Amino acid sequence: MNPPLTTWPTYDKGDVFLSPEDIAAAMEALRAQLFFRYDFRPHEETFTGLFERRLCEVFGARHALACASGTTAITLSLLALQLPAGSPIACPAFTFAATPSAILLAGHRPVLVECEENLHLDVRDLRRVLDEGAKAVVVVHMRGFASDMPEICRLAEEYGAFVVEDAVPALGARLDGRYLGTFGHFGAFSTQSDKSLNTGEGGFLLTDDPEAYARAVVYSGAYEGRMARHFPGQVPDVDDRAFPIFSFRMDEIRAALAGALLQRLPDRLVAHRRNYDYVAERLADLDGIALRQPVAPGAYLGEALVFRLPGAAPRECAAFAGAVMAEGVDARALGDRDDVNVRAFWNWRFLLGDDPDAARSLFPASARYVSEAIDIPLSANLTLADCDRLVAAVRKAAARRPAAETATAATTTTEKAVAAGRAASR
Ligand SMILES: Cc1ncc(COP(=O)(O)O)c(C=O)c1O
């Protein structure tokens, strides 16, 4: 096992947002010795059923299904839409490899869409993909920043395409007061360790469509009439023997933990927001870096700080991340050519082949913006002293950049507009 390179708090070094009540809830489920969600108890007395009901209350959704992971939540959403096998499904070029993987798992064909300078899905490029026949779009709120959901939903409707939100990185974030994951036909979430609810692994989906929900429930592994338990009233006319079952269920132990964590989600969201805003405010004036701009004020979670070094070559971005690391703060250059970061689409060999240059040439805008991006994790447990350390580390790395390379930064009209808008929108 590789030792951690810094002591910067991250989930894979044991940093958790856990209270004694959360541990007690998991222990209660363990002691009950009933780990399977579909046992003899009434649905509403199971931890999984309770978690789903609470999710509906919190998110204002009609239906929620707890499942095994974020990947399976996306897959179940797509399966439930009943699209013809092999349908082209759009997703952004900037996402974790799990998004196109889920599209493949559902039996479809991922079609990538460019991202724009703030690393959001480029809505203009989405039109191209819809013109070419995409039947659905899996929008990703990558690193907690909302995509432009009103515009994307309007465009998808124009083409009769479904919208599934991969809200995995943005659990609890809102856009114009509305939770991400509630704009599309389905919203998919993860409760893996790095997310706003941490049950080790796990996930859930939300939808307002009862029939599609019933199909998702069956696909997730509700056999022999168990799907009906999810409907206290009228059960949709969905034949549970007409679909294969994939055992993507959540178990009772995780659901108990998730239910307890959900009570404290507001505290965690406040901590993320406080840390992000504190850091972003103190870096907003720094020459040569372009902080990501949200699509609307406050439309981000704050669990990561992502900024670009406009005009910088990949090796310079890698050196910048290395300089931040040297100050004890985890940082990664997303486009580091010596890294195998699977948030860089050219590393998706399963989809785009073995030649990274060829893959990059297919999506030049995304290749550029991802290559210029620096990614720093922001734990909810950071103290303001940690945040100060981060700010100092980034400032020091920026000060060490070669003058010739910083001079090329922020030179295009768009970059200048981004720079000018930076202070105004925060
Ligand atoms: C954008 C995105 N989508 C999907 C996933 C997959 O979630 P899970 O690991 O729960 O399958 C991840 C995981 O981090 C992710 O970052």
Side-chain angles (χ1 to χ4, degrees), residues 318 335-341:
D336 185 347
R337 303 297 192 251
D338 295 327
D339 196 353
V340 287
N341 196 327

PDB file of all heavy atoms in Angstrom, residues 318 335-341:
ATOM      1  N   ALA A 318       1.251  20.118 -13.869  1.00  0.00           N
ATOM      2  CA  ALA A 318       1.726  19.049 -12.970  1.00  0.00           C
ATOM      3  C   ALA A 318       2.716  19.628 -11.956  1.00  0.00           C
ATOM      4  O   ALA A 318       2.672  19.285 -10.764  1.00  0.00           O
ATOM      5  CB  ALA A 318       2.366  17.929 -13.787  1.00  0.00           C
ATOM      6  N   GLY A 335      -4.928  16.942 -15.970  1.00  0.00           N
ATOM      7  CA  GLY A 335      -4.458  16.543 -17.299  1.00  0.00           C
ATOM      8  C   GLY A 335      -3.020  16.069 -17.316  1.00  0.00           C
ATOM      9  O   GLY A 335      -2.414  15.977 -18.384  1.00  0.00           O
ATOM     10  N   ASP A 336      -2.466  15.763 -16.152  1.00  0.00           N
ATOM     11  CA  ASP A 336      -1.074  15.303 -16.068  1.00  0.00           C
ATOM     12  C   ASP A 336      -0.892  14.073 -16.964  1.00  0.00           C
ATOM     13  O   ASP A 336      -1.541  13.047 -16.767  1.00  0.00           O
ATOM     14  CB  ASP A 336      -0.771  14.960 -14.599  1.00  0.00           C
ATOM     15  CG  ASP A 336       0.690  14.588 -14.374  1.00  0.00           C
ATOM     16  OD1 ASP A 336       1.410  14.357 -15.365  1.00  0.00           O
ATOM     17  OD2 ASP A 336       1.087  14.540 -13.195  1.00  0.00           O
ATOM     18  N   ARG A 337      -0.003  14.201 -17.937  1.00  0.00           N
ATOM     19  CA  ARG A 337       0.161  13.107 -18.916  1.00  0.00           C
ATOM     20  C   ARG A 337       0.816  11.874 -18.295  1.00  0.00           C
ATOM     21  O   ARG A 337       0.774  10.791 -18.875  1.00  0.00           O
ATOM     22  CB  ARG A 337       0.991  13.578 -20.121  1.00  0.00           C
ATOM     23  CG  ARG A 337       0.413  14.801 -20.841  1.00  0.00           C
ATOM     24  CD  ARG A 337      -0.973  14.509 -21.443  1.00  0.00           C
ATOM     25  NE  ARG A 337      -1.371  15.570 -22.360  1.00  0.00           N
ATOM     26  CZ  ARG A 337      -2.334  16.464 -22.141  1.00  0.00           C
ATOM     27  NH1 ARG A 337      -3.035  16.431 -21.027  1.00  0.00           N
ATOM     28  NH2 ARG A 337      -2.638  17.384 -23.045  1.00  0.00           N
ATOM     29  N   ASP A 338       1.455  12.040 -17.120  1.00  0.00           N
ATOM     30  CA  ASP A 338       2.084  10.884 -16.460  1.00  0.00           C
ATOM     31  C   ASP A 338       1.150  10.238 -15.438  1.00  0.00           C
ATOM     32  O   ASP A 338       1.553   9.343 -14.703  1.00  0.00           O
ATOM     33  CB  ASP A 338       3.378  11.314 -15.741  1.00  0.00           C
ATOM     34  CG  ASP A 338       4.414  11.785 -16.735  1.00  0.00           C
ATOM     35  OD1 ASP A 338       4.445  11.241 -17.854  1.00  0.00           O
ATOM     36  OD2 ASP A 338       5.168  12.716 -16.394  1.00  0.00           O
ATOM     37  N   ASP A 339      -0.057  10.741 -15.365  1.00  0.00           N
ATOM     38  CA  ASP A 339      -1.025  10.240 -14.385  1.00  0.00           C
ATOM     39  C   ASP A 339      -2.050   9.385 -15.150  1.00  0.00           C
ATOM     40  O   ASP A 339      -2.217   9.543 -16.359  1.00  0.00           O
ATOM     41  CB  ASP A 339      -1.711  11.459 -13.726  1.00  0.00           C
ATOM     42  CG  ASP A 339      -2.440  11.102 -12.439  1.00  0.00           C
ATOM     43  OD1 ASP A 339      -2.537   9.913 -12.121  1.00  0.00           O
ATOM     44  OD2 ASP A 339      -2.929  12.046 -11.774  1.00  0.00           O
ATOM     45  N   VAL A 340      -2.731   8.517 -14.428  1.00  0.00           N
ATOM     46  CA  VAL A 340      -3.785   7.718 -15.077  1.00  0.00           C
ATOM     47  C   VAL A 340      -5.151   8.153 -14.563  1.00  0.00           C
ATOM     48  O   VAL A 340      -6.036   7.344 -14.361  1.00  0.00           O
ATOM     49  CB  VAL A 340      -3.598   6.198 -14.849  1.00  0.00           C
ATOM     50  CG1 VAL A 340      -2.461   5.664 -15.664  1.00  0.00           C
ATOM     51  CG2 VAL A 340      -3.396   5.907 -13.352  1.00  0.00           C
ATOM     52  N   ASN A 341      -5.302   9.442 -14.365  1.00  0.00           N
ATOM     53  CA  ASN A 341      -6.534  10.002 -13.806  1.00  0.00           C
ATOM     54  C   ASN A 341      -7.724   9.662 -14.713  1.00  0.00           C
ATOM     55  O   ASN A 341      -7.741  10.061 -15.885  1.00  0.00           O
ATOM     56  CB  ASN A 341      -6.368  11.522 -13.696  1.00  0.00           C
ATOM     57  CG  ASN A 341      -7.399  12.140 -12.808  1.00  0.00           C
ATOM     58  OD1 ASN A 341      -8.535  11.686 -12.736  1.00  0.00           O
ATOM     59  ND2 ASN A 341      -7.004  13.198 -12.107  1.00  0.00           N
TER      60      ASN A 341
END
